[in-house]
Amino acid sequence: MKALNEWRITQMRVTPIAFRDPPLLNAVGIHEPYALRSIVELETNDGLVGIAETYGDEGMLKALAAARELIEGFSPFDLNGMDERVKHGVKATKSAGFEMNLAPGSHGAKNAAKVMAAFEGAMLDLIGQRLGAPVCDVLGGAVRDSVPYSAYLFFKYAEHIEKPYGKNAAPDAWGEGISPEQIVAQARRMRELYGFGSIKLKGGVFDPAHEVACMVALSKAFPGVPLRLDPNANWTLETSIKHAPALNDVLEYYEDPTPTLDGMNELAKHTTLPLATNMVVTSFEELKQSVRYPGRGPVQVVLSDHHYWGGLRATQTLARICETFGLGVSMHSNSHLAPSLIAMTHLAAAVPNLSYACDTHYPWQEEEVSAEGRVKFVNGSVVVPRTPGLGVTLDREAVRTLHEQYKSCGIRTRNDTAEMKKYDPSFTGKSPRY
């Protein structure tokens, strides 16, 4: 084994993958049949391999490829040095049509922060393996043995319009989710399968009155269960204010109903609910702007995401700042697999002031790259791994299968708006729409 001062990263491998994703509706359209991610592997001169999962769109793959020379030859311990290299060596770019075509919260322009997060995740996995410690201990130690997650409900169609998985493929087991009754049934199944103690609905899809009716139906079906509604900034300020009274006694928090810090600040004057965001505060600069507002301010809960905040350590810093200003903290999610979910779990375990159960899309995914199999939820929580490093080993055959699926699926940049036009050619994805 190499001495610690001689320990170096010798090779980076990036494998783009695609896995099946249901027809889930959101503010800018509908999920495509396949979600894109990539697996980043950093190998060292003593044969250890650290892994991380990150975005898999074409822009991210180009950014990772351009950053290869920044990481190879680097010590896995030099996390600060890596941050500085990437910060100054990776350019910020935007995919064409990013704002309209991607689901809100995807944050495609922050290439440097996203590359830093991917490299850091794999480096922390390496450090944990080398020291015989789980990532949460490398981050300072776990303050909880398991991390709570929330049921994540979506309005959805029964199946994709073009039957992309084959003409004889059956619709997914979740079925259609449009009416209040269907949304309640979706929540009941989610809770029965995973034991989730809180429930979130992705809104911004239908007339706001319909979405409010769905939340009222959920509150009646599950009395006392914390509820959240996320219109993804697809409601105008006027609409958000109009529906606030009906939601005041229903929701745990009101997530991104309307765009901009100014809009959220005005809304805060018309509701008793905490306002949560992963859209108007997505960087430290935006956080600084938010806390400068007088009075209650536009945001009371920050929904972090280590994939675009710059990594696990940056998110710990974010949590400490939120504690200073009396803000709640939880975590945003995108379509993801075990490496991402377990990284979130290690991070959440090492954040003392985690205020709310975290989001996860994981129940909507069926395929996996982990040799340990699908991540298990116990009473709505994921037990924090105690094995060295991340605690996820790649199933090489599964990675190859999902990489072949990536090559054949034809998707290179997520575009929920274009996908929705297959169902409704007049759909524009304009936001706010209601």
Side-chain angles (χ1 to χ4, degrees), residues 228-295:
R228 310 160 184 182
L229 174 64
D230 175 16
N232 263 149
N234 208 18
W235 295 1
T236 63
L237 174 60
E238 292 74 19
T239 297
S240 302
I241 292 173
K242 174 184 175 181
H243 291 285
L247 295 170
N248 277 341
D249 296 327
V250 173
L251 298 185
E252 177 182 34
Y253 59 63
Y254 199 6
E255 180 182 343
D256 282 316
T258 198
T260 77
L261 283 168
D262 285 345
M264 292 280 277
N265 187 59
E266 182 60 30
L267 173 61
K269 302 172 186 176
H270 300 270
T271 179
T272 59
L273 290 167
L275 300 183
T277 187
N278 71 285
M279 296 184 70
V280 298
V281 173
T282 64
S283 67
F284 289 101
E285 177 59 33
E286 289 171 346
L287 179 61
K288 181 171 67 175
Q289 295 171 25
S290 179
V291 299
R292 284 178 170 172
Y293 280 78

Side-chain angles (χ1 to χ4, degrees), residues 2 13 21 52 95 143 158 160 181 212 219 234 244 259-260 283 348 356 362-363 365 376 383 385 390 398 402 404 418:
K2 294 288 184 181
R13 293 186 291 273
D21 210 16
S95 300
V143 297
H160 288 286
E181 295 77 15
V212 171
S219 70
N234 208 18
T260 77
S283 67
Y356 301 90
Y362 195 73
Q365 271 66 69
K376 293 180 174 58
V383 175
L390 184 64
L402 296 191
E404 289 301 316

Side-chain angles (χ1 to χ4, degrees), residues 59-60 62-63 90-95 98 108-112 114:
M60 183 62 180
K62 289 179 179 178
V90 174
K91 295 180 180 178
T93 61
K94 290 187 179 182
S95 300
F98 162 71
K110 299 183 177 183
N111 282 342
K114 293 191 297 181

Side-chain angles (χ1 to χ4, degrees), residues 390-411:
L390 184 64
V392 176
T393 307
L394 292 177
D395 179 334
R396 295 292 174 182
E397 185 57 36
V399 172
R400 280 191 289 271
T401 297
L402 296 191
H403 179 57
E404 289 301 316
Q405 201 156 262
Y406 167 83
K407 291 194 290 186
S408 64
C409 74
I411 302 170

Side-chain angles (χ1 to χ4, degrees), residues 13 23 85 136 148 260 274 355 416:
R13 293 186 291 273
R85 276 194 174 193
C136 59
T260 77
S355 314
D416 291 9

Side-chain angles (χ1 to χ4, degrees), residues 36-58:
L36 305 180
R37 300 291 274 182
S38 58
I39 303 298
V40 176
E41 299 177 70
L42 300 181
E43 185 169 349
T44 63
N45 53 0
D46 60 356
L48 291 180
V49 178
I51 68 169
E53 175 191 337
T54 186
Y55 306 95
D57 60 278
E58 194 168 41

